[in-house]
Amino acid sequence: MSGLWNIAVAIACLLCLAACNSRSNSSQSTASGEAAAAVTSDAQVQASVQVTVQPGLTPNFQPSIHDYVVDCNPSPSVYFSAQIGNETEVLVNGVPVATPGHTAQATVPLVAGQRFTFDFRQVRFASAGSNAPSGYSVRCLPTGFPPISASLAAVSQAQWYVFSPSLGGTQAPYYVIVADTNGTPVWWMAQTGGESPIDAKIIGNNTIAWTTGDGSFTLRSFDGRVQNVLGTDLDLHELQLTPAGTYLVIRDVPRACPPDCADMSPWGGSAQAAVVDAEILEMDSHSNVVWSWRTRDHITLSESGTQPWFPSVGNDIIHMNAVEPDGEGALLFSARHLDAIYHITKSTGAIDWKLGGLVRAESLTAIGDTRPTAIGATGQVLSGQHDVRLLADRTVTLHDNGTNANRPPFAMRYVVDESARTAEVVEAIQDPRATFSLCCGSARRLPGGNWVVQWGDYPYMTELDPSGNPVVTISYNLGSIFSYRAAPILPGVVAADQLRQGMDAMASPVPNGVLSAP
């Protein structure tokens, strides 16, 4: 077989199965619960399989990888061929296509979004109803899909990554993507109308949400159906589910000037400034506001005016970009143009502590920070930070862009001691490839110690080990286009079949009689 998209991959698979370990081996080869081959006997089976697919599979076929994509836009069908051993049969879309010891061949008509499956079954151990094929899934990419590539250096701790390369350029249509740790998109949805999907995330285990900056967040099931639309005048930066089942969101509140003007002249601004405050809202599923908190009631104008952002950012004196629940009674938020994060108690509205920015009575002292531009009389503890999060051990993480502090971005983790009024740096992770971060970004620490980071306006996301070594890097390959955030999903939260079946529901049905001789 020849052609640009033809890939022939020879795979030798040795499966030594005994009754005492058959369950373990089956689990390893079907980590997402999509077992197909009958490996229930204690007999030893050695199968040699050679697979050819045109257009070629991405990534290259390996028995341990279960999800693949093909660019089948140049062709209305996909050709599949496999050389198999004497005790193995091949199934494509559940249909046997060759007897053991013979070449399996099938031509499968596909359009964008559709998929076909193939699997290998040890016939001597097959029993009715126990070997339904679902082991390998191959889905057709749509025209204009981001040409994602991935590099893997070690075993990842996440199972999925959610991202949307949609900022920093013009490459519509834009997609929200759920990829596995091989960088393979297993679920995606195009945002119609040319708008940029922002802040894509999975909520719970069956909902995916994002906004296009139109003032609302849309929540969908994996089959694409809209479950809910929250808000009408919300800021695009954040949506967080609380332990009570409500949602934390942000709203910008411009002051109507005149008459409600702010005097920013002490810091080089206008004496009659129509500044924009920020407001945190807690909403129920019907978009009813059940609690709110406004910055103008608790943060002085000097906290904005003394920061290096002002007056170049004009009237955007707060620029809140993240909110994080702390149980049901408190929360944290990040304000980019204040170079600070805050912790507040909801019942009183009081600020409990602040890290970064202008010193006030509630400010914490940062200790253990060895970055030269973050210490000393003129150092900035934080600069343009994003994505403040609270971990189960109550340490606080964030993505410190370092934009105005002449330093590269860092993923930071702090131990906060409210009694001692300190925030001790216990991790500061850097990627040498990211040298300057103008905006945006996220940093999520996984329970195993790895970090998943979108380094601001960089055209890739990465999972790194605790020493900062890249484990997985997924590049978007769309020039300067980047994703606002990259959200990791831990193993066991969302099953592979949930994503596959959701994609199946959104795709056109595969025609009957999909198999034919080549």
Side-chain angles (χ1 to χ4, degrees):
M1 180 63 60
S2 60
L4 178 63
W5 296 102
N6 183 40
I7 296 179
V9 182
I11 304 294
C13 307
L14 180 61
L15 304 175
C16 298
L17 306 173
C20 62
N21 67 7
S22 62
R23 181 178 300 273
S24 173
N25 281 353
S26 176
S27 174
Q28 291 175 9
S29 61
T30 58
S32 299
E34 56 277 57
V39 286
T40 57
S41 170
D42 59 358
Q44 294 184 351
V45 178
Q46 180 174 341
S48 180
V49 178
Q50 183 177 358
V51 173
T52 299
V53 175
Q54 183 185 12
L57 294 178
T58 300
N60 292 333
F61 177 71
Q62 298 180 42
S64 61
I65 298 176
H66 291 269
D67 285 280
Y68 301 86
V69 291
V70 293
D71 182 3
C72 58
N73 293 290
S75 172
S77 60
V78 173
Y79 170 79
F80 171 87
S81 174
Q83 299 285 342
I84 57 178
N86 289 330
E87 294 184 344
T88 304
E89 69 176 353
V90 180
L91 302 96
V92 175
N93 285 349
V95 179
V97 295
T99 57
H102 294 77
T103 300
Q105 294 180 311
T107 300
V108 186
L110 287 181
V111 298
Q114 292 177 344
R115 66 164 174 153
F116 77 94
T117 63
F118 67 92
D119 210 346
F120 309 104
R121 179 166 64 181
Q122 306 303 322
V123 294
R124 63 185 291 186
F125 307 123
S127 60
S130 65
N131 299 289
S134 57
Y136 301 101
S137 174
V138 182
R139 197 172 297 276
C140 174
L141 291 174
T143 301
F145 194 83
I148 295 170
S149 61
S151 60
L152 285 69
V155 177
S156 61
Q157 294 177 357
Q159 183 178 12
W160 311 108
Y161 308 109
V162 185
F163 51 86
S164 179
S166 62
L167 300 176
T170 55
Q171 188 67 34
Y174 297 112
Y175 290 87
V176 174
I177 299 167
V178 182
D180 65 16
T181 55
N182 298 295
T184 305
V186 179
W187 187 95
W188 64 78
M189 188 173 183
Q191 177 61 53
T192 60
E195 296 137 326
S196 298
I198 302 168
D199 192 30
K201 62 188 61 176
I202 289 176
I203 299 175
N205 62 0
N206 59 5
T207 301
I208 190 163
W210 65 87
T211 181
T212 60
D214 62 352
S216 64
F217 280 82
T218 301
L219 286 66
R220 297 174 171 86
S221 54
F222 290 125
D223 60 10
R225 290 181 296 178
V226 174
Q227 296 178 338
N228 198 2
V229 178
L230 287 173
T232 57
D233 59 349
L234 305 180
D235 180 88
L236 56 82
H237 287 92
E238 187 67 287
L239 170 72
Q240 285 292 320
L241 182 66
T242 74
T246 55
Y247 298 91
L248 293 176
V249 292
I250 301 169
R251 181 163 60 194
D252 294 328
V253 185
R255 300 191 193 184
C257 174
D260 188 12
C261 303
D263 182 3
M264 303 301 293
S265 59
W267 309 284
S270 170
Q272 296 285 306
V275 300
V276 179
D277 300 297
E279 185 176 35
I280 303 171
L281 304 176
E282 183 177 0
M283 305 175 70
D284 65 18
S285 60
H286 301 289
S287 297
N288 298 311
V289 176
V290 298
W291 178 86
S292 65
W293 186 92
R294 190 169 292 188
T295 56
R296 73 176 298 175
D297 299 327
H298 304 274
I299 295 175
T300 65
L301 295 176
S302 62
E303 290 190 54
S304 296
T306 54
Q307 297 306 104
W309 301 97
F310 189 81
S312 62
V313 296
N315 296 331
D316 186 9
I317 61 171
I318 303 294
H319 200 93
M320 194 178 294
N321 56 25
V323 180
E324 173 79 352
D326 180 4
E328 295 186 20
L331 58 82
L332 298 94
F333 71 87
S334 165
R336 170 176 167 84
H337 290 169
L338 300 178
D339 293 320
I341 60 173
Y342 297 75
H343 185 278
I344 66 175
T345 296
K346 291 169 59 180
S347 60
T348 63
I351 293 175
D352 304 310
W353 55 260
K354 173 188 179 181
L355 177 62
L358 179 70
V359 174
R360 55 183 287 168
E362 299 86 359
S363 290
L364 305 177
T365 299
I367 59 176
D369 199 335
T370 60
R371 300 173 299 166
T373 56
I375 58 177
T378 60
Q380 284 184 262
V381 173
L382 301 175
S383 181
Q385 77 292 323
H386 286 75
D387 205 44
V388 62
R389 302 299 164 206
L390 181 67
L391 303 187
D393 64 0
R394 297 203 58 78
T395 57
V396 175
T397 66
L398 54 85
H399 176 255
D400 184 11
N401 294 66
T403 307
N404 282 332
N406 192 31
R407 63 172 178 255
F410 280 81
M412 303 294 294
R413 184 163 73 100
Y414 298 89
V415 172
V416 173
D417 186 333
E418 293 191 54
S419 298
R421 310 305 296 172
T422 60
E424 181 181 4
V425 175
V426 289
E427 283 190 274
I429 305 298
Q430 182 186 3
D431 186 335
R433 298 170 294 182
T435 58
F436 175 79
S437 182
L438 177 64
C439 79
C440 317
S442 58
R444 308 289 174 90
R445 189 179 189 273
L446 305 179
N450 282 4
W451 290 79
V452 172
V453 184
Q454 171 68 50
W455 294 106
D457 50 332
Y458 280 83
Y460 65 89
M461 57 132 290
T462 187
E463 179 176 335
L464 305 102
D465 68 18
S467 298
N469 301 307
V471 172
V472 178
T473 299
I474 297 178
S475 300
Y476 311 134
N477 298 314
L478 292 170
S480 61
I481 293 178
F482 62 96
S483 180
Y484 175 62
R485 284 180 176 140
I489 305 300
L490 293 173
V493 175
V494 178
D497 276 343
Q498 284 181 269
L499 302 177
R500 295 177 189 143
Q501 292 165 9
M503 286 295 298
D504 292 344
M506 290 190 289
S508 302
V510 178
N512 293 327
V514 296
L515 303 177
S516 62

